[in-house]
């Protein structure tokens, strides 16, 4: 069965982005857009596609959830021994992409990832739902497993060991903080004449703003 993908089209008419209204700091605009996505009840507004590069130069993407934006850094949590964790250990350059379809908006970020301090990972971990904490302890993320049933058995066995106790964060699990060096804001517009503004970090810590062709 053939699907006519070429015939799927949509006009973007919901909003625009004026250069005169752009703040000097792109994080102010990101915060505003993220809040508007939350207020609009966009599905998974904090979902972000993380792009890494393997030692062989192979790009790889997956979706995680943004859990904090602190001191200008984008923070997410994961298994350090996962595929992305191994990639970042070899090459800390990373990309982040937020896509809010209902608002016809995208934000694309490039920067450097570094592990957050252990105490920050501990603090976040203890506030996660109980079952999520157990899951983080038993999942060999990105590794082959025999079956889902084996995963469930491991979960039940691990949960039994922590009854009445505070579940400890496993050492292979924690946060990454991404310091951005490049942030692009994309707003859909009619006739594919989209608004695209690129912020690039300068040596003096300021941001340069450039309009890009759609």
């Amino acid at each position: 069965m053939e699907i006519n993908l070429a015939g799927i089209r949509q006009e973007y008419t919901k909003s625009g982005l004026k250069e005169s209204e752009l703040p000097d700091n792109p994080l102010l605009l990101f915060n505003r857009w993220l809040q508007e996505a939350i207020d609009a009840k966009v599905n998974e507004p904090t979902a972000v596609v993380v792009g890494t590069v393997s030692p062989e130069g192979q790009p790889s993407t997956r979706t995680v959830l943004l859990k904090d934006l602190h001191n200008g850094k984008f923070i997410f949590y994961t298994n350090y021994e996962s595929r992305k964790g191994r990639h970042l250990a070899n090459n800390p350059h990373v990309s982040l992409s937020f896509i809010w379809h209902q608002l016809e908006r995208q934000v694309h970020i490039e920067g450097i990832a570094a592990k957050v301090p252990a105490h920050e990972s501990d603090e976040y971990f203890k506030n996660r739902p109980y079952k999520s904490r157990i899951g983080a302890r038993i999942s060999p993320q990105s590794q082959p497993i025999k079956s889902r049933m084996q995963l469930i058995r491991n979960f039940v066995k691990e949960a039994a060991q922590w009854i009445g106790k505070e579940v400890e964060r496993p050492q292979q699990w924690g946060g990454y903080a991404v310091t951005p060096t490049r942030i692009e804001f994309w707003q859909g517009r009619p006739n594919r004449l989209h608004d695209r503004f690129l912020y690039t970090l300068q040596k003096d810590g300021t941001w340069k703003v450039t309009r890009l062709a759609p």
Side-chain angles (χ1 to χ4, degrees):
M1 183 179 68
E2 293 187 0
I3 302 175
N4 181 19
L5 299 180
I8 299 176
R9 296 186 179 278
Q10 177 179 325
E11 277 295 320
Y12 301 112
T13 60
K14 291 187 176 181
S15 187
L17 188 57
K18 296 181 180 179
E19 186 169 4
S20 60
E21 297 176 353
L22 296 177
D24 293 334
N25 189 329
L27 297 175
L28 296 177
L29 180 55
F30 179 85
N31 271 328
R32 192 184 87 197
W33 274 22
L34 178 58
Q35 187 61 57
E36 289 175 357
I38 294 170
D39 293 343
K41 297 185 177 356
V42 166
N43 186 39
E44 295 285 16
T46 63
V48 54
V49 178
V50 177
T52 58
V53 180
S54 75
E56 298 75 31
Q58 178 68 38
S60 175
T61 60
R62 74 289 287 157
T63 304
V64 303
L65 298 179
L66 181 72
K67 286 302 177 182
D68 201 2
L69 182 57
H70 183 63
N71 289 335
K73 298 179 181 181
F74 297 80
I75 298 173
F76 66 91
Y77 291 84
T78 188
N79 188 312
Y80 290 143
E81 296 178 0
S82 65
R83 190 176 189 219
K84 59 183 166 298
R86 297 194 305 273
H87 286 181
L88 291 173
N90 180 74
N91 182 350
H93 290 84
V94 64
S95 68
L96 307 174
S97 290
F98 295 85
I99 304 175
W100 300 307
H101 294 292
Q102 293 94 322
L103 300 179
E104 301 172 350
R105 288 174 173 172
Q106 302 176 34
V107 181
H108 302 288
I109 300 158
E110 295 176 13
I112 304 295
K115 292 180 180 179
V116 304
H119 72 271
E120 292 185 15
S121 290
D122 289 338
E123 186 66 24
Y124 173 73
F125 186 79
K126 72 179 184 180
N127 289 313
R128 298 185 86 206
Y130 170 77
K131 292 181 180 179
S132 295
R133 283 177 278 163
I134 297 297
R137 290 190 62 84
I138 62 96
S139 175
Q141 194 175 102
S142 302
Q143 302 301 316
I145 57 175
K146 292 181 179 180
S147 67
R148 179 172 181 80
M149 184 54 66
Q150 184 60 52
L151 196 64
I152 293 173
R153 290 194 189 101
N154 291 345
F155 182 94
V156 172
K157 182 179 179 180
E158 185 70 20
Q161 298 181 32
W162 295 97
I163 295 175
K165 296 186 292 185
E166 183 71 27
V167 181
E168 295 179 1
R169 176 181 66 89
Q171 292 302 303
Q172 76 273 15
W173 190 97
Y176 284 103
V178 177
T179 301
T181 57
R182 185 183 194 276
I183 304 180
E184 179 189 331
F185 294 87
W186 183 99
Q187 175 69 64
R189 296 297 300 273
N191 305 314
R192 296 300 188 265
L193 301 180
H194 312 305
D195 288 326
R196 292 178 60 192
F197 288 100
L198 172 64
Y199 284 80
T200 50
L201 185 63
Q202 306 300 293
K203 291 182 178 180
D204 62 0
T206 62
W207 292 88
K208 177 183 178 182
V209 183
T210 307
R211 179 187 279 275
L212 302 180

